[in-house]
Structure formats: structure tokens, C-alpha cells
Amino acid sequence: MAMPSSLLWAVDIFGRVYTLATTGQYWELCKDGQLEFKRVSAVKQCCWGIACDHQVYTYVFSSDVPIRYQEETYENQRWNPVGGFCEKLMPSDRWQWSDVSGLKHQQLDSFTLPSPHWEWESDWYVDENIGGEPTEKGGWTYAIDFPATYTKDKKWNSCVRRRRWIRYRRYKSRDTWAKIISLEDPSQLPDPFNDISIGGWEITDEPAGRLSVWAVSLQGRVWYREDVCHHNPEGSLWSLVATPGEVVQISCGPYDLLWATLWEGQAIVREGIDRNNPHGISWTVVESPGSENGIMHVAVGVNVVWAVTKDRKVWFRRGVNSHNPCGTSWIEMVGEMMMVNVGLNDQVWGIACDDRAIYFRQGVTPSELSGKTWKAIVSGRESDRSQTGSSTSLLSAGCFFSDEVRDQANSIIQSDGDISSDTESPRVPPNHADAPLSGAAISSNENNADSQKEVGAHLAVDSLDSAQEEANSTSSSSEKAGLEKPESSVDQDTHPAELQWTNIDLKEAHKNPVLTSSTFRETSSVSSLGLFPVGIEEPYGTDEHPFWAWVSGGGCLVDLHSPLKWFTIQTGLSSSVQSLSLSITPAQTAAWRKQIFQQLSERTKRELENFRHYEQAVEQSVWVKTGTLQWWRSWKPHKWMDVRVALEQFTGSDGVRDSILFIYYMHHEEKKYIHVFLNEVTILVEVLNDSKHSFALYTPERTKQRWPIRLAAATEQEMHDWLALLSMSCCESRRIQGPPSHHAVWSVTCKGDIFVSEPSPELEAAPHLIPCDQMFWRQIGGHLRLIECNSQGIVWGIGYDHTTWVYTGGYGGGFIQGLASSADNIYMQSDVKCVYIYENQRWNPVTGYSSRGLPTDRYMWSDASGLQECTKVNTKPPSPQWSWVSDWYIDFNVSGGTDREGWQYAADFPASYHGHKTMKDFVRRRRWVSPFPESSNEDAPTARTEEGMDQLQSFAFYGGVPNLFFVLIHLATIKRETGK
């Protein structure tokens, strides 16, 4: 068969291997059913397993392209003056038959098949091509000596020649289990194996289809299978890998993640795995979640690690990735499992302890790696579907064919009833032998009531008392009619022969009396519908699910957008049965609905009672966001580095949500990381950079060091997304939400951004004053030059264009939108700010006024003080929210006046400037201005006031807190006045 796109593999307690397709509804029994397996480990293209004889087998799917391997050897000759080219070589030459390098002796008869699973496609033949061009007949290529550059043309100085012989071998054991044979001793492996795991296909693409196969022996040693790839699905040999202790079980992920469990209950993690060293370098020990119960089983994926302890508790490892394969801590999950397995996209399966059923972890996404809940897979087996199909076909056929079908059905029922020797078959009166089965084994109304209860229990739907009495009375009357007049039903040739519906249980066949077809029509009860089990080849009954021992989802790709058919029980009814007209009354439908609702309510209470003593996994969930940014590294030479960042947000048992920001980087080809707890972050601010969209994170310690964490994104939108997410996480860590309180401290930065801090009782406590660098500031949308507030929550501000603004009570706005922003009281805000730069010149006796000044002069383009160089090119807006309105132009409205070109004159820098030139004026300057408004898409919780501009210089709120600078001065003044 062709290789399926996605399969889930499982082993039952009898050692049989089943597969379940993501698009299928039934478990299919794998070929070679005579083999019994303990464990399997699957990927998309193949599956490896350990049989009950502790031998390793591999199952490779067939495809349109065969697995072929090219064997080659080279025939070498040297020219002899007597006989020309011959097989006699010089003692210093290479072998007559060798590999391409000439160092290995390879004769044609020395090549053998690596295992019985290979076969030769053809005999040896000469390759008559060199570099894609045909050679002369015979395939010889010539050179001056060994080794050298070979050509297809023979020259006068060609002293040696060679040609390549090729033979292909093909892997033939596909769609079947192939035993891995050891080259040292074909009869057995180096050590009886107990566990196996395959992965590592994402480490490198060379060679194609490369896999990492890890195994654990019964003696607790770890082995690695070398050279497993597409052209060599069996690998070459087993290599022993040293471990710090005896290993019980091992798990390998698609990338470089490898975990194993020790006998002592600890876990070990392999580090240093990469494309150049697939074995890894060293082991790191990870302690178990609890001291009493050690780790029994682990399962790893790309960025997740799941574990099962000896008390069957399930645990999730937090903070696992390629830079930190050990993770950070354990989180207990709901449920008790025998084992778990992680597949593609970090999807999780497990086998429960109580019912040995396979459960699928729902809700696993890249942002929620721990998932939401466990859901049982209730898919049936392919054998169950075939039995059901044949049974329903026989039932439907009995409605249309003659007495031969009825006799055949009678024989089937009698043979099935004779299976158990200690049970008594239903007795049929002799005079009713030729009658339909509708008149068999029915004696009284009480017996029929019992049969109805048995059938209802079989389908897990019990009839209500009222509905049951109605069904019993109807069934009783019809049964009496059938018994009293059995011949009438036989003698009526005008009606087709009918076959009754019946339930036959292989274990207790005598407990299920047979009902007539008329009974079924009258009662119209779904619980009376049964099926014929044809065979008993399976150890399970048709109504029993298999008991699973192992599951592997390494090759199962679950699409989150397409629903699976694993979680619905298939009725098994054919179209002919489903098309039967069931006359169900509305009263019976209402009774069934009421009964189903009661059963669901009872089951919900029962399930909640069983899991009441567990901690809620949803409240201890872990949420992770990853991305790629640049980081301004803290050591010299300082430069931007490409890093991977991960924001891990988790909720503790006390309900407090906290977050950690991880930054992973490479230093001297070594993976390292730094982390920041967001409950320690004091402020998040944008950093203006010419070529980077960057922002900074401050903590109390980094504020003292004057070295914040600076990160840069590729686009402005990405930077705003990270700022909004980090700001929201910081507020959640400190339990801050909603608008600022009336006692909040407001502040504006030199760039006009508005920040607010919620005061704590310790802020002004006399014994221990909280330092200002430990206050947390969150940004509020908008842009102001000055801000004032009072204790009643009224906040006013002045923009750079002298416009007054009032706080409307909202929060968020700008890039802080979404869940961290209020839906109301957010309005558009605009502001205009003028930037001034000065052009300075000095008088020269030769050229007059020019831009060449003295070495002690100020910059020729500077600010008003002359201490900072400010040119038209390097003057930038204070933040990305600003943009230029117009180009630079000369400002003539300067104190002291200007001439017609805007120049002001003075004797030297600095001095008093005037607008006319005198004999003592040796320097001059003029002011350039360029206004830029704030971006029009800036949302802010502010509204513009209607007062005139003449009131802007005199407004204030007494008793309020204007800004952070004012707060510090005000407190210092109080201390001095009170003598403290």
C-alpha cells in the first residue's frame, strides 16, 4: 500500500500493532500479525518496534520510488611499455580494485547484501559516463598518475587509467516488519532491548531521510543506531553511549531534544546534539517533581516535555526549548496515565490507568503547549466494522428473501448459542420449527420485560418507567399474537419473509430472548435494536474497546482546523438498516431526551467528584509567545545581535499570573540565555534609533547600572505588538488593571509620553521609604508637555502646541490596544512641536562670513546653547509617533530682531545678538525651524478643552501631583520644614 499521510500507532496488551489514520474511523491491524510487540516508535516514513523476543524490527512504508543504493568500485590499470595497459601495478600504486580514493581494497566478489531484506537488481556493469559526458567504449578514463584529474581522452602522457563498476541493490522488505540483524552476530543484538525511540529528522537534511534511533537495553545501557537514512533504513551498527546511571526509558524529539529516565526516578537530558554530532556531548540530571515518587516515563517533542511519575501523575515541564533543553520547573496536570507520547506539532496522546484507553490532549497550540483537556479515542477496529457490516447485510436480506434465508439465520443463531457449554439455548417448540424467528423463545410478559432491560443496558440507555411500561404492554400483545397464530404468518405468501431483530451476546447468549419484527415495529424502541456477531476471532467482544499498552504519535500530524472522527462511536448500521422507518412517537422522544439529560447530569457530577482532589490544570496553565528580535549586547564591542525571545506566562496555584522573558543568544558558539521576571520591570519605553525600531526594559538593578535591556524589532508594528504584550504582562504580574486610581502619580517624559504609577502604602512610610527606582510606571496613550492632577482624579495637560487636554477616564490607546485598553473614552489626539536649530558663522578677512570657525567655536550647526551639534540631516523627531510637517525654513520671529536674511550679529559666541551688523560684530547666526505634528493615528484617553489660549499660563490644581520631578521636590521641602 502507499504510505499514508498520517498514522497513529498503538500496541494492545496482546502485542498486536494497530494504526489509526487521521482521516479514518477504525483501527487497522498491522501486517505480520503473528509478531507480538511491546513498544513501537513511529515517524511519517517508517516505524521501529521491539518485539516480545526483545529484538528490534522496522516497518518501512512502500512508495512509488523504490529504495535503491548504488554500490561502486573502481578498476585501476597502469601502462606498460611491453603490453600497454595491464593489471600489473607498481608497489606504490593503489589496489587493482579499490574505492574512489584508492585506499580501500574492493573486489567485485567482496560486496555482499547487508541483510536479507535487500536484493540485487542486476549484475555489475561499467559506467560509461564521466561528469555527465559519455566516454569511449569500455568506460576508461585516463590520467598521468594516481591520483590526478581524469579525462575521457587518452593522451601521450596518460600512464594510468580507471573505470567505474556499478551495481544497484533494492530494499524489498516494505509494508512488513523487518528484523534488524547485527553484523557482528546475526543471531542476536548486542543486548536485549527494552525501549526504543526515533526522531531527529529536523536536525539536518543530509543525508535525505536521516533519523536518530535511540534504544535502551535490559541492562540499562543506551545505544544509538548509526547511519539511519532513506537509502539505509536499517542503519549500519549500534554504538554505546555512556550514561550516568541505569536507564529505564528514552524519548527523542524531532530536533535536538532527548530525555531519558533512570532507575532512581530522575531524568537525564542530552546536550550538545547537532548536525555534526548527533550523539550529543554530555548528560544533565533533572530531578523528579516530587521526592517520594520518581519519574517513570518521559515524552518529548519540539518545545515540550511530558512525564509520568510512579504514582501515575502526569507532569508538564515548563520553559523547554533548544536553548534550554532542561526547562525550568514542573507543573502537575489533571489525570492519571500509564504512559504519554508526544507527536508532531507537540500533540500529546496518553493511555489511562483505569480503562487502558487512548486519550488525546485537546487544545494544544503553539501558544498553549500544555493543552486544555483529555479526550478518549473511541474508534473501533476494522474487524468490528466487517462483523457489523455482514450482520446488517444479513438482517436486511432477511426482509426480502425466502425461507432459505430464515433457515440460514436460524442455524446461525443456534450455532452461536451453542458456543458456551454452560449456558442453555432458548428452546423453540417443535411445531414452530418452520415458523419465523418472531415466535421463538417468548413465554410471558415478565420475560419480555427482562429482555428489554438487558437490551437497554447493553446500549447504555435505560428506558423511563412510563415508556418502558408502554413498550412492555405493546410487546406483550404482539408476542401473544405471534405465539397463538404462528401458522398464519407462515401461510401468508403475499407478505415477504421477515427476519426479526435480536441481540446475541457471545458471553451470555441465553440471557437475550429473541424479539419479533412486529414487536420492533410496535415498540419503536432504539434500545431493542441489536446486531449479529459473526465471528469470535478477536479476544475482545464487539462492544469492548481494546486494552492498549503503548501508543506512538511521532508520525501523526493532527490538523487543528479539520475535525477528527476518533471521538464518535460508529453505529455500524448499513444504509439499508438506517433507512428503516421507525415510528417513534413524540412522547417517547421527549422521554428519551429527559432521560439522556439526567444521565449526562449524573455523569458530570460523577466525573467532577472523581477529580475534585486534583489541582485545576487550567488555572496553572502556561502560555508562551516566541519571536526573533535583536539585542544590544552588554559586553564590548557593543553591537546588535540576533536573538530568540520567549515570553512565558504562567498562573500559579494562588491565581497570581506571572511572566518571564527569556532571551537566547550565541556566545562563542555556545547557547546562552538571560531572563527577566516581568514583576521586576519598572518601565517599558521606546528608544529612538535611526535604523532600529527598539525599546528598553528597566529593572531596579539595571537602572542602577544604567544599562537597560534594549531590544529591536524588524518593523514598527512588531515593536508595538511586543510593547503592548509586555506592558499587559507587567500589569497582570502586579495585579494592575483598568484606569488609574485617583491617587495615581502622573508623569511625562522629555519626549512627551505619559506614564502613571499606582502608589503603594510603603511609598511614604516613615520607617522604610520605597526607592523611586522601584516604582512601576505604565504608559497611558497620548502626548503632552506638562500634566497636572489632584486627588479627585481630575487630570489636565498642555500639549507642545499650547493646547489644553483633559483626562477622560480611559486607559490604553496607541499601541496599547486590545484587552489592555478600554473600549470607551479613547479619542484621537494631535500635537505640534517646533524644533529650532541655529546656523553659526564667523567673519574672515578674506572671504567674509563663512562656516569655518575657530577651534574653540561652537558647532556651525547647533542648538541654542551651541553645545550640541544639530544639523538638518541628523535632527530627528523625538519618537516614531512624530513626523515632519514641512521642510526647514528661516525663522524671522527671534528675540532681538534679524536682517532680511534672518541673521543676528554679535561680537563673539555667546553674546547678545541684534538684528543689524556693526564694525565689532565678528560672528552671526540665524534660526531654522521645522514643525512636526504627532501622528494622527495616536489614540489617547484625553479630550481637547474649549478655553482660550490666554489661560494656558496660569492653570494649576493645588494639592495635586504634577509629575515625578515635582513629587521629589515637594517631599524634600516637607522634610526640611518639619526638621526630619
Side-chain angles (χ1 to χ4, degrees), residues 739-788:
S741 65
H742 294 174
H743 304 286
V745 181
W746 294 74
S747 176
V748 292
T749 65
C750 59
K751 297 178 181 178
D753 296 328
I754 305 171
F755 287 85
V756 64
S757 178
E758 295 292 341
S760 60
E762 296 82 6
L763 179 62
E764 299 184 13
H768 304 285
L769 292 175
I770 181 173
C772 297
D773 55 5
Q774 294 185 10
M775 297 174 61
F776 172 68
W777 297 89
R778 60 166 171 159
Q779 187 169 358
I780 301 293
H783 186 274
L784 296 173
R785 182 179 182 181
L786 181 65
I787 195 168
E788 291 279 350

Side-chain angles (χ1 to χ4, degrees), residues 656-659 678-679 728-735:
V656 178
R657 181 174 296 180
D658 203 352
S659 302
L678 292 192
N679 58 5
M728 182 178 64
S729 300
C730 290
C731 293
E732 290 179 348
S733 300
R734 297 175 180 266
R735 296 186 176 183

Side-chain angles (χ1 to χ4, degrees), residues 113 162 191 253 404 474 498 581 642 688 767 851 856:
L113 294 174
R162 73 173 185 181
D191 207 6
E404 297 178 358
T474 309
E498 296 181 352
S581 175
D642 293 331
L688 183 63
S851 58
T856 58

Side-chain angles (χ1 to χ4, degrees), residues 840-844 847-853 860 903 924:
N840 305 304
Q841 290 185 356
R842 177 173 286 276
W843 183 81
N844 190 303
T847 59
Y849 287 101
S850 67
S851 58
R852 293 184 178 181
M860 293 295 101
W903 292 104
R924 67 177 182 178

Side-chain angles (χ1 to χ4, degrees), residues 701-734:
E701 186 65 26
R702 292 187 172 271
T703 302
K704 296 178 181 178
Q705 299 174 357
R706 297 180 178 269
W707 194 266
I709 297 178
R710 291 184 58 184
L711 298 173
T715 62
E716 182 179 355
Q717 182 62 38
E718 184 180 0
M719 178 190 67
H720 287 167
D721 292 343
W722 276 103
L723 275 174
L725 182 60
L726 292 174
S727 178
M728 182 178 64
S729 300
C730 290
C731 293
E732 290 179 348
S733 300
R734 297 175 180 266

Side-chain angles (χ1 to χ4, degrees), residues 206 295 331 339 406 422 435 487 493 550 698 771 832 925:
E206 295 293 337
I295 299 175
I331 298 177
M339 59 86 62
R406 292 200 300 269
D422 56 349
E487 298 178 358
D493 297 333
W550 198 262
Y698 284 85
V832 179
R925 71 172 186 180

Side-chain angles (χ1 to χ4, degrees), residues 115 149 182 232 742 852 960:
S115 69
T149 303
S182 177
N232 188 17
H742 294 174
R852 293 184 178 181

